[in-house]
Amino acid sequence: MRARAVAWITGLVLAFALVPAVVQPSTARADNPIVQHVYTADPAPLVHDGRVYLYTGHDEDGSTYFTMKDWRVWSSADMVNWTDHGSPLSLATFSWASADAWAGQAVQRGGRFYWYVPVKNRATGRMAIGVAVADSPTGPFRDALGRPLVENGEIDPSVFIDDNGQAYLYWGNPNLWYVKLNADMTSYSGSPTRIPLTTAGFGTRTGDPNRPTLYEEGPWVYKRNGLYYLVFAAKCCSEFIAYSTAPGPTGPWTYRGTVMPTQGSSFTNHPGIVDFKGNSYFFYHNGALPGGGGYTRSVAVERFSYNADGTIPTITMTNTGAPQAGTLNPYVRQEAETIAWGSGIETEPAAEGGMNVGWIENGDHLKVKGVAFGSGASSFAARVASGSSGGTVELRLGSPNGTVVGRCGVPGTGGWQTWTTVTCPVSGAIGTQDLYLRFTGGSGYLLNINWWQFTAGTALTAPR
Ligand code: FUB
């Protein structure tokens, strides 16, 4: 998505008009949706080693159907600054898959990461569940089996590992299925079992005799305080998120009501719930970006607290998102693709490894939220490349037009992946601030940036 800054802000205002819960006048306060430079859908969060990893689908720009070809991974240590890890899983990973990179979930077991996804089986033309495996939460992922794990034409796998080590795979639309996974996480015991879709278990749908309950798709299963939760997308095609609970992983399920009402311009929604750093978070998707809608969705997050009896409160979509869980340390290397809000930028794999921010034009910016400068920074370093004549990285506080605390010139380096490190003095960066990297220069693409880092201390030279 190569949104330009002005069109972006105009579109943002329009988009927020579509989200009735909260209307914020300033882009500076917007942290939902989580990602601005591509459309994302079907969130599946996973907490690992002090970070939350977010596995999503990827809606193509201008899409008019669920023509999805790859999945994306993001991660955050604070729920507001999200690092883009690119696309370590795509249809091409599964030699037997032809289309429909739809809603999946990744789980960890025994130091490995297993990502369960629905895709269309080229040979049968039916939807099947594949499983990919990696040694790291960000991949690279490879097809674990070279064939579907299970196939019955239904979608949206969710995997839950109980305290006793037994893992369960749930999936389904229009039915709801489970099967017990073996400890290898890539095979199962017994046959897929259909969970009875009773109105007591999954609520009452009116108007569709073929679907008497609210269950539609997108199951998300977990356990909290001995109670099993099955959160799901309810009632196509203006979906809301509902949930059921049970005393065991296979039921019997009791319908508990709405988690998130129908809101926004996407006719689907999709749940993901985790606890992180002592709080609970609900992930979902909507159509809140410019150009957004039912096939151009974006993932967002809200913090919530369970009621004392374990029920889930009603959660509404906001554009402010979750409060920041901690601060960001500017005195260690930060990836440029760690972003709270990006305007006009894109990302791509960097020749040096990881991702870089690119397609930067005059006036584009990155917001990094809650940067803990403490008693002050003296200098800034950035890893940059430019296949043109370069530009300037302005370091501003509070807003894209806020106080300038540093300016770093970037020369042409002879190529968009020809990297060099530039440094410049910094003055006035004190306390905890929202940092904006604002890019200026001539016309066309200016520069790429791979990472940045401040040095603590007192500046000898004021910014020019
Ligand atoms: O993203 C494609 C499909 O839309 C997912 O599999 C469903 O859950 C719905 O979100």
Side-chain angles (χ1 to χ4, degrees):
M1 187 195 303
R2 298 187 183 184
R4 296 296 304 116
V6 174
W8 166 254
I9 291 168
T10 307
L12 192 68
V13 171
L14 288 172
F16 288 168
L18 298 173
V19 181
V22 178
V23 176
Q24 296 294 334
S26 161
T27 55
R29 294 196 57 200
D31 292 312
N32 266 339
I34 285 171
V35 177
Q36 302 82 43
H37 56 278
V38 295
Y39 294 115
T40 52
D42 302 326
L46 168 70
V47 174
H48 171 70
D49 206 12
R51 294 184 76 80
V52 57
Y53 290 85
L54 179 59
Y55 300 81
T56 72
H58 173 204
D59 284 339
E60 301 287 319
D61 290 4
S63 182
T64 55
Y65 182 62
F66 300 117
T67 32
M68 303 165 78
K69 301 172 186 166
D70 60 0
W71 295 266
R72 306 281 298 224
V73 183
W74 320 84
S75 75
S76 177
D78 61 14
M79 285 286 174
V80 299
N81 295 301
W82 288 91
T83 304
D84 184 342
H85 298 286
S87 175
L89 186 67
S90 73
L91 291 176
T93 308
F94 302 99
S95 60
W96 48 273
S98 60
D100 299 343
W102 289 0
Q105 183 182 354
V107 297
Q108 188 213 338
R109 182 164 204 163
R112 291 188 137 183
F113 297 83
Y114 298 88
W115 196 347
Y116 300 83
V117 290
V119 287
K120 186 171 283 182
N121 183 342
R122 180 183 294 108
T124 64
R126 295 199 308 171
M127 292 303 288
I129 309 300
V131 55
V133 62
D135 295 328
S136 136
T138 56
F141 283 85
R142 61 180 171 78
D143 185 359
L145 295 171
R147 57 175 169 76
L149 169 62
V150 62
E151 176 176 333
N152 64 359
E154 301 202 31
I155 61 172
D156 289 5
S158 176
V159 169
F160 162 69
I161 305 173
D162 210 342
D163 301 333
N164 63 4
Q166 177 63 59
Y168 298 83
L169 171 71
Y170 304 81
W171 77 104
N173 178 350
N175 302 293
L176 177 57
W177 302 85
Y178 79 88
V179 72
K180 285 184 176 181
L181 291 175
N182 295 328
D184 63 12
M185 299 300 276
T186 59
S187 63
Y188 58 85
S189 298
S191 300
T193 300
R194 197 185 295 204
I195 295 174
L197 288 177
T198 63
T199 54
F202 296 93
T204 303
R205 181 188 315 218
T206 53
D208 186 347
N210 295 321
R211 302 198 64 160
T213 79
L214 293 170
Y215 178 80
E216 184 73 30
E217 58 187 356
W220 181 267
V221 181
Y222 65 100
K223 184 181 185 180
R224 179 178 181 272
N225 293 341
L227 188 64
Y228 295 77
Y229 291 73
L230 196 161
V231 187
F232 57 92
K235 200 184 177 188
C236 176
C237 284
S238 52
E239 288 181 349
F240 63 99
I241 303 298
Y243 78 112
S244 307
T245 61
T250 61
W253 298 98
T254 300
Y255 182 61
R256 296 294 180 193
T258 298
V259 175
M260 173 170 275
T262 303
Q263 282 181 266
S265 61
S266 166
F267 63 89
T268 66
N269 199 348
H270 195 99
I273 292 181
V274 287
D275 284 352
F276 180 65
K277 293 188 174 175
N279 286 294
S280 300
Y281 294 89
F282 177 72
F283 290 79
Y284 59 97
H285 70 220
N286 60 23
L289 280 185
Y295 303 116
T296 44
R297 299 163 290 179
S298 292
V299 166
V301 62
E302 310 293 341
R303 194 175 81 178
F304 75 98
S305 299
Y306 289 89
N307 297 317
D309 62 0
T311 55
I312 302 175
T314 302
I315 303 166
T316 52
M317 299 179 184
T318 74
N319 60 12
T320 45
Q324 187 169 11
T327 54
L328 184 136
N329 182 357
Y331 302 119
V332 298
R333 173 175 151 166
Q334 297 289 347
E335 298 302 317
E337 65 275 15
T338 297
I339 302 168
W341 195 268
S343 178
I345 60 89
E346 302 276 343
T347 62
E348 63 183 343
E352 294 187 320
M355 303 287 284
N356 65 259
V357 174
W359 289 278
I360 293 169
E361 295 171 276
N362 183 41
D364 292 347
H365 69 257
L366 301 174
K367 171 189 172 186
V368 187
K369 191 169 180 176
V371 178
F373 288 107
S375 56
S378 61
S379 69
F380 173 82
R383 190 74 170 163
V384 292
S386 175
S388 63
S389 56
T392 300
V393 182
E394 296 179 351
L395 307 172
R396 292 179 179 263
L397 303 182
S399 82
N401 300 312
T403 304
V404 176
V405 295
R407 277 196 177 90
C408 245
V410 175
T413 62
W416 295 108
Q417 292 293 328
T418 304
W419 297 95
T420 190
T421 303
V422 294
T423 60
C424 51
V426 171
S427 178
I430 294 167
T432 298
Q433 306 274 356
D434 291 348
L435 171 69
Y436 286 76
L437 275 59
R438 185 168 183 269
F439 306 100
T440 58
S443 60
Y445 298 124
L446 304 177
L447 59 103
N448 289 348
I449 178 165
N450 191 6
W451 53 259
W452 56 263
Q453 181 170 355
F454 285 82
T455 300
T458 305
L460 299 175
T461 314
R464 287 171 285 131

